[in-house]
Amino acid sequence: MEPSVNPVWQQHLFLGSWQSGEGQQITVKEPATGEVIARLKSATPADVDKAATIANAAQKRWMAVPFDQKAEILRKAALLLKERANEICGWNIRECGSIGPKADWELQATYEQAQMAAALPMQPNGQIFPSNIPGKRNYWKRVPIGTIGVIAPWNFPILLSMRSVFPALAMGNCVILKPDPKSAICGGVLMAEILEDAGLPAGVFHVLPGGPDVGERLVQHPLVKMISFTGSTAVGRKIGETCGRTLKKAALELGGNNAMVVLEDADLSVASSSGAWGSFLHQGQICMQTGRHLVHRSVADDYIKRLSARAKNLVCGNPWKDQVHLGPLINEAQACRVEDIVNRSLAMGAILVTGGKRNGNYYEATVIANVTPEMPVFSEEIFGPVAPVMAFDSDAEACALVNESPYGLAAAIHSRSTERALRIADQIQVGMIHINDQTVSNEFQVPFGGMGNSGNSGRFGGPANIEEFTTSQWISVMEEGIQYPF
Ligand code: NAD
């Protein structure tokens, strides 16, 4: 069944309620076919000003809503995500080129985020500290930040926006979401409909699909007190600079170039399966993608054989029409970027083991051997279905190679010796390390985030959400005032 287009989206923006917009129209093109499948109203920087004013006024009322009512709205939103699953997943497939299982997983993960957020408002939100002044009590409590801007990418547009939106709302903030124009239906307007239908009061949540100009205005706006950004390191750095200048809190979740280390005692069947999943899932368009396969020299040939056999079995095609393993990349520019990274590396002496062909927006699952650290396929974030393999000779060399990347998001280590894998993990500077697994892992209850060029230590999930989406206030009480020397 075709996912239906709501005619309201063409002329209206969700500024806490549906209002007619002045911006241009966004033409939504299906990456698999190039067909125009919808048109949406784009926001302008002036819409950011309007949304920030509305949100700022609504926030005072929203923070005063009793905790059980906030929880009820978020639980209802979770139920609506499930009720509208076919429609949301249909859009994820057609708008973003996702395969069905990826769309299903993303919806389930978003549902879990909503459920977790619904439990936040009832958590204790403060502590009492002692005082050395008799009769004085020190209360310390978590309070909302105010209006929070959420800027999201197109690769997992629902989860990567709502993992900030839900907990931010739960903690009493208003939110202005700027989805990427390439994913603004499933990662934007559908979420506006769901939160509105769940009973969120008007003015509390806004969705402004638009490009960098809209994002920049959101980051600069004085009424927006925090930016939660997920996207590239280059854009994250710019946003961080502006937030630094305007003294605004910034949670930056950025790019990655994630290594999987395969030791000579690893189960190569498990390791090659992990490697294939980590590199090829969602056509490699994942920040946690396994971008470098570092394999002990004594098992490298065997590993490459197993990995390329898995890659050759993967079928590439239109995920809306057929059951495929790999859909299209988001657009031709991205596919050409991947092709260029591979071709430049082959010209430097890398060996193409399998794949390596582009057809429009599609790129085959590709395995490359003989990789060295100087090659772009090692040093750059690929964000495409390419698995570069490099051999190493010692654990120390493997650690040095992992740490050679300025990124620090995720890593994986395969070994039958957990002790040895843990010793390596201790020497690796990344935010998330998975032993005998692959690099793409996200569980809603565990704090998620990177180090180095992968972020500024913002964390999502579990207990980190309370800290991330609140600030704190110290209130002291003296039963009776005292006389100071002045
Ligand atoms: P991007 O940085 O180009 O865009 C991300 C968002 O920022 C989009 O909504 C875009 O419109 C907006 N934007 C662009 N320029 C802006 C500006 N000057 N000011 C404000 N907003 C601006 O990233 P992308 O290409 O959409 O996504 C891919 C990147 O995101 C990859 O590098 C990937 O690794 C990273 N990513 C990181 C995580 C994580 O959790 N660490 C998750 C997914 C993706």
Side-chain angles (χ1 to χ4, degrees):
M1 196 178 68
E2 296 289 313
S4 61
V5 177
N6 182 344
V8 168
W9 305 339
Q10 281 205 22
Q11 302 298 342
H12 295 78
L13 288 172
F14 191 74
L15 294 165
S17 59
W18 294 98
Q19 301 186 17
S20 56
E22 304 300 320
Q24 311 245 312
Q25 266 182 359
I26 297 169
T27 304
V28 180
K29 277 193 188 164
E30 184 177 39
T33 59
E35 195 189 314
V36 174
I37 49 174
R39 288 178 211 282
L40 291 183
K41 184 54 77 177
S42 170
T44 63
D47 291 316
V48 175
D49 299 346
K50 256 197 241 170
T53 306
I54 296 169
N56 191 49
Q59 197 267 326
K60 315 282 180 298
R61 297 190 293 274
W62 174 238
M63 74 183 264
V65 168
F67 78 90
D68 52 342
Q69 289 177 31
K70 288 197 189 93
E72 185 64 19
I73 290 166
L74 289 161
R75 275 195 297 270
K76 181 83 195 290
L79 290 178
L80 290 172
L81 283 170
K82 286 271 166 115
E83 262 177 33
R84 294 180 66 176
N86 281 345
E87 186 192 354
I88 297 168
C89 291
W91 276 114
N92 197 343
I93 295 168
R94 293 208 72 187
E95 192 183 22
C96 307
S98 305
I99 60 169
K102 178 266 188 188
D104 291 344
W105 180 87
E106 186 173 358
L107 186 88
Q108 176 63 23
T110 309
Y111 167 82
E112 286 161 355
Q113 292 283 342
Q115 289 287 10
M116 178 174 57
L120 287 180
M122 67 193 76
Q123 297 300 313
N125 74 340
Q127 288 175 306
I128 299 173
F129 286 79
S131 172
N132 58 6
I133 301 171
K136 181 175 175 184
R137 278 170 288 164
N138 288 320
Y139 299 103
W140 180 82
K141 60 172 186 169
R142 291 257 157 219
V143 292
I145 291 171
T147 296
I148 295 181
V150 174
I151 301 178
W154 46 263
N155 58 339
F156 279 71
I158 310 170
L159 176 63
L160 299 183
S161 52
M162 303 316 282
R163 72 177 178 181
S164 292
V165 171
F166 287 140
L169 293 175
M171 300 315 294
N173 303 285
C174 284
V175 177
I176 302 172
L177 167 65
K178 194 211 78 65
D180 191 292
K182 296 188 276 302
S183 53
I185 296 180
C186 63
V189 294
L190 289 179
M191 298 301 113
E193 289 181 359
I194 281 186
L195 279 165
E196 188 181 36
D197 292 349
L200 191 71
V204 174
F205 179 55
H206 304 245
V207 176
L208 301 181
D213 57 337
V214 177
E216 279 172 15
R217 184 69 190 137
L218 188 60
V219 176
Q220 287 159 0
H221 203 285
L223 291 177
V224 176
K225 302 297 181 192
M226 173 185 175
I227 294 293
S228 177
F229 171 79
T230 304
S232 64
T233 298
V235 173
R237 200 167 258 135
K238 268 200 217 163
I239 290 176
E241 281 168 12
T242 308
C243 289
R245 214 172 31 251
T246 53
L247 303 178
K248 200 169 284 196
K249 183 169 180 176
L252 306 174
E253 287 296 335
L254 311 177
N257 184 359
N258 314 287
M260 189 177 96
V261 177
V262 181
L263 300 176
E264 72 279 12
D265 65 351
D267 177 335
L268 291 188
S269 171
V270 168
S272 58
S273 170
S274 288
W277 182 263
S279 280
F280 304 136
L281 179 66
H282 197 37
Q283 300 78 265
Q285 302 169 117
I286 305 181
C287 55
M288 296 166 281
Q289 180 197 21
T290 307
R292 295 174 294 151
H293 300 235
L294 307 176
V295 186
H296 193 276
R297 195 173 304 281
S298 63
V299 294
D301 287 347
D302 193 358
Y303 178 82
I304 290 167
K305 218 184 284 164
R306 290 167 189 260
L307 183 64
S308 58
R310 290 178 188 279
K312 277 190 193 130
N313 278 336
L314 300 180
V315 177
C316 213
N318 180 345
W320 182 244
K321 297 278 175 225
D322 301 307
Q323 230 187 4
V324 294
H325 302 100
L326 270 69
L329 276 83
I330 191 74
N331 54 31
E332 193 157 1
Q334 280 296 115
C336 290
R337 220 194 100 259
V338 174
E339 184 179 42
D340 177 59
I341 291 178
V342 170
N343 287 345
R344 279 189 288 135
S345 303
L346 295 180
M348 290 169 78
I351 293 172
L352 183 66
V353 183
T354 188
K357 277 203 213 77
R358 180 179 71 81
N359 179 9
N361 295 359
Y362 294 89
Y363 199 85
E364 291 176 321
T366 297
V367 177
I368 297 184
N370 258 27
V371 167
T372 62
E374 298 70 38
M375 295 176 181
V377 83
F378 182 99
S379 59
E380 292 181 25
E381 181 180 35
I382 303 169
F383 234 57
V386 179
V389 185
M390 178 177 172
F392 67 84
D393 292 297
S394 68
D395 291 9
E397 187 189 357
C399 291
L401 285 169
V402 175
N403 289 335
E404 185 145 327
S405 169
Y407 291 106
L409 193 58
I413 304 162
H414 281 261
S415 169
R416 285 198 168 86
S417 162
T418 308
E419 270 311 302
R420 189 172 161 202
L422 282 169
R423 269 200 305 278
I424 291 179
D426 284 344
Q427 297 169 66
I428 291 179
Q429 283 125 35
V430 305
M432 302 174 285
I433 302 173
H434 307 292
I435 292 173
N436 293 325
D437 200 352
Q438 42 78 44
T439 54
V440 181
S441 192
N442 180 12
E443 294 187 35
F444 65 94
Q445 74 285 12
V446 186
F448 172 107
M451 297 177 179
N453 283 4
S454 295
N456 67 342
S457 297
R459 291 291 180 266
F460 292 107
N465 282 345
I466 295 183
E467 162 97 26
E468 204 60 78
F469 296 107
T470 56
T471 182
S472 70
Q473 209 168 36
W474 169 26
I475 299 182
S476 77
V477 179
M478 299 266 253
E479 265 166 32
E480 286 173 25
I482 55 170
Q483 291 291 332
Y484 283 95
F486 290 1

